[in-house]
């Protein structure tokens, strides 16, 4: 399986919307999606961004069955990510998620 990088850039997206999507994912039992390697959400001028690394396109596609309806519910009706093949993935040693 080839690892992938998934990038969302949501023009006008907000931290509030992002947090609501996480709450909805937790409620749906997907707080720790199967196949995700890393995730970061951040604001940049005029957009909310997410960058994930997934173990495979198939893992992301399976998770998308849950994610896409929640994106739409929270106002992201036309958001589609850009997907790139990962060349190298390094996971640093950590015991905690940072927020």
């Amino acid at each position: 399986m080839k690892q992938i990088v998934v990038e969302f850039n949501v023009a006008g997206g907000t931290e509030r919307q992002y947090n609501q999507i996480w709450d909805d994912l937790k409620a749906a039992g997907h707080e720790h999606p199967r196949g995700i390697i890393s995730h970061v959400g951040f604001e940049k001028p005029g957009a909310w961004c997410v960058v994930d690394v997934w173990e495979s396109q198939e893992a992301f596609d399976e998770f998308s069955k849950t994610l896409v309806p929640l994106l739409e519910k929270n106002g992201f009706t036309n958001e589609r990510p850009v997907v790139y093949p990962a060349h190298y993935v390094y996971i640093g040693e950590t015991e905690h998620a940072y927020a």
Side-chain angles (χ1 to χ4, degrees), residues 5-9 36 38-42 49-54:
V5 177
V6 178
E7 177 183 23
F8 281 92
N9 284 288
I36 196 166
S38 68
H39 171 89
V40 61
F42 59 98
C49 303
V50 169
V51 177
D52 291 344
V53 178
W54 287 84

Side-chain angles (χ1 to χ4, degrees), residues 11-67:
T14 67
E15 181 179 355
R16 183 174 168 267
Q17 289 170 304
Y18 172 81
N19 290 339
Q20 183 59 56
I21 291 166
W22 264 115
D23 289 345
D24 291 347
L25 284 168
K26 290 174 191 175
H30 291 278
E31 182 173 0
H32 302 286
R34 181 180 302 238
I36 196 166
I37 295 171
S38 68
H39 171 89
V40 61
F42 59 98
E43 185 175 17
K44 68 180 185 181
W48 189 265
C49 303
V50 169
V51 177
D52 291 344
V53 178
W54 287 84
E55 66 182 23
S56 68
Q57 181 70 55
E58 294 79 15
F60 176 67
D61 291 345
E62 184 62 30
F63 177 67
S64 292
K65 293 175 185 175
T66 300
L67 178 63

